[in-house]
Amino acid sequence: MYCIRKINKNKWIKILKFAVLIIIIKMKRKLLPIIAIAIASLLVVSCYTGTKKLRDKSKAKNVVHINRHVMTKAEQASLLPEDVLQEFKNGNQRFNSGNVTQRDHSEEIRKAVTGGQFPKAIVLSCVDSRVPVEDVFDQGLGDVFVGRVAGNFVNTDLLGSMEFACKVSGAKLIIVMGHQHCGAIKGAIDDVHLGNITAMLKSIKPAIEMSQSFAGDKSSKNEEYIKTVNKNNIRNAVSQIRVKSDILKDMEDKGEIKIVGAYYSLLTGKLEFVE
């Protein structure tokens, strides 16, 4: 017994393996298919169990709430302008973090919005394809009116659209949103003359006049100057809404709506609200 104990564990394993091999050979390999099947079965079960656990963990991590809600008239009427503004700010934070709401755009939801629309806000934005307005604020079908024009300036058509959105359809918030690297702003700075673009850019020229106190290179090559003109263009648009629309000015004075300006960064996805 003493000699047997002296044999280490690894040697015992080798001896047992050798013994099993001899038995298998002596039995003319009759057991070999059975052993192979048993081993294969164990491997399949093991792989399935491991894969299932990983799949279950993945499902647990990716469980998200899919928004199937469509704004109703009663819900819109109960909203306060300050609450809508805060919701849009929160939506931009979700957009910026990548934690956007998963939305249902199925036929059922599309049918639901055919019964009417009760948006919370209207956003005046540039036509720039890099600024997806609904996504920037993490809003869904029927949540927001969107008006677009290169340079996000105010004209009669857009004022009428805003009056329709707020006075007729009940929206509680107007946002004028400019953005980083705006070609229309650069074009106005460079005094571009090209077809109808020339006349369009005249609507942005007041922002250049408002930026005369800028200390530095006043050209489209200076990003800080472009941003200064851009923000002044937003301020001018907000001011023009109040000056040129008695309806919207009256609604704002009564606290029925808010009118604000915002500057969107293409790089960060964040909004900077402009006073």
Side-chain angles (χ1 to χ4, degrees):
M1 291 295 294
Y2 175 76
C3 292
I4 292 174
R5 286 176 184 169
K6 288 284 287 182
I7 300 174
N8 62 37
K9 183 179 179 181
N10 290 334
K11 287 184 178 180
W12 270 110
I13 292 173
K14 289 179 181 179
I15 291 170
L16 287 172
K17 286 182 178 180
F18 184 69
V20 170
L21 182 61
I22 291 173
I23 292 170
I24 292 172
I25 293 171
K26 284 186 176 182
M27 293 182 71
K28 298 180 181 180
R29 299 181 180 178
K30 288 183 179 181
L31 293 176
L32 193 57
I34 297 173
I35 294 171
I37 291 171
I39 292 172
S41 299
L42 287 171
L43 287 172
V44 169
V45 171
S46 176
C47 288
Y48 173 77
T49 303
T51 303
K52 188 174 184 299
K53 286 181 179 179
L54 288 173
R55 192 183 298 119
D56 291 343
K57 286 182 180 179
S58 178
K59 284 182 179 179
K61 288 181 180 179
N62 295 324
V63 171
V64 293
H65 172 67
I66 299 178
N67 191 317
R68 296 183 172 85
H69 181 70
V70 175
M71 180 66 62
T72 66
K73 185 175 183 178
E75 289 171 334
Q76 183 201 54
S78 69
L79 294 172
L80 295 175
E82 311 83 61
D83 296 334
V84 176
L85 178 58
Q86 187 58 54
E87 181 185 338
F88 274 52
K89 288 180 178 180
N90 294 342
N92 178 247
Q93 290 176 357
R94 292 193 299 273
F95 171 76
N96 179 252
S97 67
N99 188 32
V100 294
T101 305
Q102 300 299 308
R103 300 185 186 278
D104 181 4
H105 291 163
S106 65
E107 183 179 0
E108 179 185 357
I109 298 301
R110 295 195 302 273
K111 283 182 178 179
V113 298
T114 61
Q117 60 173 338
F118 309 101
K120 311 164 197 173
I122 178 169
V123 177
L124 169 57
S125 173
C126 181
V127 296
D128 198 292
S129 62
R130 300 166 293 178
V131 187
V133 175
E134 289 89 345
D135 291 342
V136 167
F137 294 102
D138 191 26
Q139 298 298 308
L141 290 178
D143 286 338
V144 55
F145 287 107
V146 180
R148 285 182 178 268
V149 63
N152 46 269
F153 58 84
V154 171
N155 60 21
T156 303
D157 298 329
L158 288 166
L159 282 172
S161 297
M162 291 176 185
E163 290 173 354
F164 170 78
C166 298
K167 189 66 176 180
V168 178
S169 298
K172 303 300 179 73
L173 176 67
I174 297 174
I175 300 178
V176 177
M177 182 171 68
H179 68 92
Q180 183 183 28
H181 302 313
C182 179
I185 297 294
K186 292 179 181 180
I189 292 171
D190 291 337
D191 196 26
V192 169
H193 285 74
L194 179 64
N196 291 303
I197 295 175
T198 306
M200 180 188 73
L201 295 179
K202 287 181 180 179
S203 298
I204 302 175
K205 291 299 178 72
I208 296 175
E209 294 297 321
M210 293 168 65
S211 306
Q212 289 303 306
S213 62
F214 178 83
D217 178 28
K218 297 183 180 68
S219 76
S220 63
K221 294 180 180 179
N222 187 341
E223 289 297 331
E224 284 303 314
Y225 178 63
I226 296 171
K227 186 174 182 179
T228 298
V229 175
N230 203 323
K231 287 186 175 182
N232 280 331
N233 185 56
I234 295 168
R235 293 185 181 99
N236 184 56
V238 170
S239 174
Q240 288 298 299
I241 293 170
R242 293 174 177 138
V243 170
K244 294 184 176 181
S245 174
D246 293 336
I247 290 175
L248 297 175
K249 178 65 167 61
D250 182 60
M251 291 183 75
E252 185 182 39
D253 289 343
K254 291 178 179 178
E256 296 173 353
I257 64 170
K258 285 186 75 71
I259 306 172
V260 299
Y263 175 82
Y264 173 70
S265 169
L266 297 181
L267 182 63
T268 67
K270 292 181 179 179
L271 283 170
E272 179 183 344
F273 283 84
V274 178
E275 297 297 331

